[in-house]
Amino acid sequence: PAEYMASVLSNNMNDIKSVTFFMEECKRMGIDVLGPDVNESVYRFTVNKSGQIRFGLGAVKGLGQGPVQEIISKRTENGAFINIFDFVKRVSLRVCNKKALDSLTYAGGFDSFPNVHRAQYFQEDMNGRTFLENVIKFGSGFQDSENSNQASLFGEDTGAKLPEPQIPFAEEWNNIYKLNKEKEVVGVFISGHPLNDFKVEIEAFCNGNVAM
């Protein structure tokens, strides 16, 4: 069933109403649909080892086929990305530009990286630059140093001397804001629902439903 529904979702990737409908059907069938992830997703919807459907990167607005292929290619060549710094060191930032990384962040594509949540990527420093912008700058500098083949006085690549930007502190987004941003780039709520905050009240006080 999971493989079949993943195929159905993939065939309807460009029709958000159909994706929403079939995701609800997956929920009814007891099949989990997980959000996009740079370490597991491919272009289309697939089924992971746990039998869960993983959202396809191709369904994320602002990505496109080029950035998706670049991410999958680098992951296939050298294994899973360790963290956001490893990611920007390895993928071409001319292909995976800021718009693509913004969309990935909002969609939860980096949620599997430890110690960083979505709000931190958009936390600004004293110069008005977001952490994500600083990360992109760091990645570009590293790649430029690697490509120039310049070595330091000690015979080490200059790219290795670039300091990683400090991860800023930021309060996590509230559920509504996080889900709205998620919906902007994938068209549906994946990691939750706006009414989840009122689950106790709904279960305690509602005695009817609108199910057909």
Side-chain angles (χ1 to χ4, degrees):
E3 284 78 8
Y4 175 77
M5 292 305 295
S7 178
V8 171
L9 284 163
S10 294
N11 288 330
N12 289 276
M13 275 174 50
N14 297 324
D15 183 356
I16 194 60
K17 288 185 179 180
S18 294
V19 169
T20 304
F21 173 81
F22 289 119
M23 283 182 63
E24 284 297 320
E25 184 66 9
C26 288
K27 184 177 180 181
R28 186 190 68 80
M29 297 168 67
I31 302 171
D32 291 330
V33 180
L34 306 178
D37 182 87
V38 293
N39 276 330
E40 189 171 68
S41 295
V42 293
Y43 189 81
R44 295 181 175 272
F45 289 79
T46 52
V47 178
N48 64 17
K49 296 178 180 178
S50 301
Q52 302 162 309
I53 295 177
R54 178 63 75 175
F55 211 87
L57 291 176
V60 179
K61 297 175 185 176
L63 270 185
Q65 194 163 0
V68 173
Q69 289 179 340
E70 173 69 11
I71 292 168
I72 296 171
S73 173
K74 293 297 187 292
R75 190 178 72 204
T76 303
E77 287 175 10
N78 296 302
F81 301 105
I82 300 171
N83 52 37
I84 188 62
F85 305 116
D86 181 45
F87 182 86
V88 296
K89 284 180 181 180
R90 290 164 56 184
V91 302
S92 169
L93 295 173
R94 287 185 290 273
V95 178
C96 294
N97 56 23
K98 182 179 180 297
K99 181 181 178 182
L101 297 190
D102 282 346
S103 294
L104 270 173
T105 307
Y106 286 133
F110 299 133
D111 283 1
S112 61
F113 292 156
N115 306 320
V116 190
H117 56 74
R118 298 183 201 183
Q120 288 174 288
Y121 289 100
F122 298 98
Q123 181 69 25
E124 294 185 352
D125 60 16
M126 296 176 61
N127 298 314
R129 288 193 297 267
T130 65
F131 173 59
L132 187 58
E133 289 173 333
N134 287 330
V135 166
I136 293 171
K137 184 178 179 181
F138 162 77
S140 295
F142 181 89
Q143 292 181 18
D144 288 343
S145 297
E146 288 284 294
N147 293 335
S148 68
N149 291 323
Q150 293 179 345
S152 68
L153 292 175
F154 302 100
E156 298 176 346
D157 292 337
T158 54
K161 293 296 183 182
L162 292 173
E164 296 177 350
Q166 186 174 358
I167 300 173
F169 170 80
E171 294 286 347
E172 289 198 43
W173 289 335
N174 63 58
N175 191 46
I176 298 293
Y177 185 85
K178 175 183 175 182
L179 290 172
N180 282 336
K181 286 296 183 181
E182 194 174 276
K183 190 174 181 180
E184 284 180 14
V185 292
V186 295
V188 292
F189 301 123
I190 303 176
S191 61
H193 192 278
L195 291 179
N196 286 352
D197 291 343
F198 308 97
K199 184 177 180 180
V200 174
E201 290 87 344
I202 291 172
E203 291 178 348
F205 298 111
C206 294
N207 57 10
N209 60 63
V210 294
M212 297 295 288

